[in-house]
Amino acid sequence: MSETQGGNGLRLLVVEDDPSLQVMLRYNLEKQGYRVEVADDGETALTAISGFRPSLVLLDWMLPGNLSGIDVCRRLRSMPGGHELPVIMLTARSEETDAIRGLETGADDYLTKPVSMATLEARIRALLRRAQGPSELLHFEDIVLDLVKHRVDRGGRSVQLGPTEFRLLEFFMRRPGRVFSREEILRSIWGENIHVEIRTVDVHIRRLRKEINGPGELDLIRTVRSAGYALDNEGE
């Protein structure tokens, strides 16, 4: 495992045990200006995350040794700051149930091999994209979202959100009370030209609900049957 020298691009960690795929991913991503580190098993990946401090992780599901990609993702999310690190899971497993399991474990995106570099690069750019512009706080009920510090508080307690859940909450907080279809949410969060399964929206909504709703707190994300979702104080 060795770090790319030179360049000021964002850091990507590729966790993949196939040598030929390692070379292909590294070559193409470095051409795009990223600094790339490669790990070929779960233990090495967790060590690299602490030392290399990547901006995003490309994570293979099937890895040699005792830790699968699912295990790595679960451990990553329990590490300090691990909720904020974007993770794209790459896998040969194509069943919808596998995709849902990967997303529910903490992955922000899920791609089935073989995947084109154009698609992968688009997904990487989408996940790395952050709100730009002036300093701003968004408020709804007892939720405060800080766009600069990338921080969310509810009722005075800190809420740890992954990158996709943070964007979802920001999207809703800019338009409280409005009902959005799953298709509208997909286009706004993932982009017009990126193919993402519609069920992905439901997975991330469940994760957002789990994090922002503490014991005894009102569920501020309302499910509107046959229509979509809204942020309001009417509950589900």
Side-chain angles (χ1 to χ4, degrees):
M1 182 176 69
S2 62
E3 182 178 331
T4 302
Q5 300 297 320
N8 296 314
L10 295 173
R11 300 172 181 227
L12 303 184
L13 175 64
V14 175
V15 186
E16 169 60 59
D17 65 315
D18 183 332
S20 61
L21 190 51
Q22 285 180 6
V23 171
M24 186 273 288
L25 289 171
R26 185 169 204 160
Y27 172 77
N28 284 282
L29 292 171
E30 287 180 348
K31 279 180 60 179
Q32 297 298 316
Y34 296 108
R35 300 178 63 194
V36 180
E37 178 90 355
V38 173
D40 54 16
D41 61 60
E43 294 290 352
T44 306
L46 291 171
T47 300
I49 288 167
S50 298
F52 183 60
R53 298 187 180 280
S55 300
L56 181 144
V57 177
L58 299 178
L59 179 61
D60 188 19
W61 181 310
M62 305 297 291
L63 293 171
N66 296 324
L67 296 179
S68 68
I70 289 287
D71 297 323
V72 172
C73 192
R74 187 176 293 115
R75 291 198 186 187
L76 167 63
R77 293 312 188 205
S78 68
M79 295 167 61
H83 276 278
E84 299 177 2
L85 180 59
V87 175
I88 298 177
M89 189 160 284
L90 298 175
T91 177
R93 304 172 71 109
S94 59
E95 294 295 325
E96 183 182 34
T97 53
D98 294 324
I100 292 172
R101 183 184 172 198
L103 292 169
E104 288 183 333
T105 301
D108 296 286
D109 206 345
Y110 184 101
L111 290 172
T112 302
K113 300 175 185 176
V115 59
S116 73
M117 284 306 303
T119 297
L120 178 59
E121 289 161 12
R123 298 288 184 93
I124 290 172
R125 288 193 299 271
L127 271 181
L128 289 173
R129 190 180 302 123
R130 289 293 181 268
Q132 302 294 321
S135 175
E136 187 176 4
L137 295 178
L138 301 180
H139 298 264
F140 182 79
E141 293 290 323
D142 57 349
I143 298 177
V144 180
L145 184 146
D146 188 323
L147 290 170
V148 174
K149 295 181 179 179
H150 208 73
R151 175 188 175 109
V152 177
D153 294 281
R154 179 169 187 185
R157 66 178 175 86
S158 178
V159 177
Q160 300 298 316
L161 296 180
T164 302
E165 286 71 44
F166 186 92
R167 292 199 303 276
L168 264 176
L169 182 59
E170 178 192 348
F171 175 74
F172 283 127
M173 289 183 72
R174 289 187 182 278
R175 308 157 186 87
R178 178 177 167 183
V179 179
F180 292 95
S181 69
R182 290 168 175 82
E183 290 79 8
E184 288 175 314
I185 295 170
L186 275 176
R187 289 195 299 270
S188 297
I189 302 301
W190 283 270
E192 292 281 352
N193 300 317
I194 299 177
H195 176 70
V196 180
E197 294 294 332
I198 198 75
R199 289 283 300 277
T200 300
V201 173
D202 300 320
V203 171
H204 285 286
I205 290 290
R206 286 200 298 270
R207 285 164 56 176
L208 178 58
R209 274 189 168 126
K210 180 180 177 182
E211 296 301 332
I212 67 171
N213 295 323
E217 292 178 332
L218 178 67
D219 185 358
L220 295 174
I221 300 177
R222 179 165 58 97
T223 301
V224 183
R225 186 168 298 179
S226 301
Y229 298 99
L231 181 72
D232 63 33
N233 57 12
E234 298 179 15
E236 183 172 352

